[in-house]
Amino acid sequence: MKPSNATLFYIHDPMCSWCWGFKPVWQQLQAQLGSTVTIIYVVGGLAADSNQPMATGMQHALKATWQRIEQHIPGTKFNYDFWNPASNSMPRRSTYPSCRAVLAAKMQDPTLEQAMILGIQQAYYLNAKNPSNIDVLAEVAHSIGLNAEKFKQDITSPAIELLLQEQLQLARQLSSQGFPSLVISKDNKLFGIPLDYNNSAAMQQAIINVIGATK
């Protein structure tokens, strides 16, 4: 397919469980699109900063969401030890820190943005660690090759906070469909792409139809 002047926005949150389930087909879609569109990641921020323990009812609701995702997207795995009090994960309803972590990683090395997202997801969903905690995020940063000390300075900096607020505003302007969302910007118009969590073909065709690309 020929390159176009369109931009595809991927609106997500690193601690969004549906984004975790969407990852395999999203990676497939990106490979299929190649350089046809410019892809930009936007963190949307599921939950603001909080030091309060997550309410029991919310914990049960999120566990139930994980179970629905496993049923809806075969092959998706979650480590339910995260919800075990003995795991010391101390769940909080707070995803802004992980969003800042992605921005801090991108600031330090733009090529590691996606690696940081994946690292956060694996820490959370597979290793039962809490990405609401800076020490967990710093571990992920170090594991993907970032300077952990610089990362810890950046993640709490005014510059990253400003970037986060800009991203949150952009996410709201682009879509009200929640996370994940795919939106194409072309000729000053926005086009939402319906998601398919198990097959990239329909999404690829919808994007081709919008951008007018030809094989």
Side-chain angles (χ1 to χ4, degrees), residues 63-208:
K63 282 191 283 186
T65 297
W66 288 12
Q67 291 166 344
R68 286 199 303 274
I69 293 170
E70 288 177 333
Q71 294 168 358
H72 185 70
I73 313 172
T76 306
K77 301 295 182 184
F78 293 96
N79 186 342
Y80 289 86
D81 285 345
F82 181 82
W83 305 107
N84 185 339
S87 71
N88 294 317
S89 62
M90 295 176 289
R92 305 200 312 276
R93 186 64 172 161
S94 181
T95 73
Y96 279 23
S98 65
C99 291
R100 292 189 189 94
V102 172
L103 299 176
K106 185 178 181 181
M107 174 180 283
Q108 188 176 147
D109 186 341
T111 68
L112 293 179
E113 178 183 23
Q114 293 188 46
M116 189 70 199
I117 297 168
L118 178 59
I120 292 170
Q121 291 172 325
Q122 290 175 332
Y124 183 21
Y125 297 119
L126 300 182
N127 299 324
K129 296 183 178 181
N130 189 351
S132 298
N133 298 333
I134 298 296
D135 60 339
V136 171
L137 295 169
E139 287 178 12
V140 174
H142 177 73
S143 73
I144 65 172
L146 291 172
N147 181 316
E149 289 305 314
K150 177 172 173 34
F151 171 85
K152 285 190 284 187
Q153 293 174 358
D154 289 341
I155 197 173
T156 58
S157 69
I160 290 298
E161 182 60 28
L162 178 60
L163 281 176
L164 174 64
Q165 295 306 318
E166 290 173 348
Q167 292 262 294
L168 300 183
Q169 182 177 5
L170 177 59
R172 289 191 291 267
Q173 292 171 345
L174 290 170
S175 175
S176 60
Q177 298 302 309
F179 313 124
S181 290
L182 290 174
V183 177
I184 289 182
S185 174
K186 180 175 171 61
D187 299 329
N188 295 317
K189 296 180 180 179
L190 297 177
F191 304 86
I193 302 299
L195 299 188
D196 186 328
Y197 287 85
N198 292 294
N199 193 315
S200 63
M203 294 184 292
Q204 182 186 14
Q205 188 58 54
I207 291 168
I208 292 172

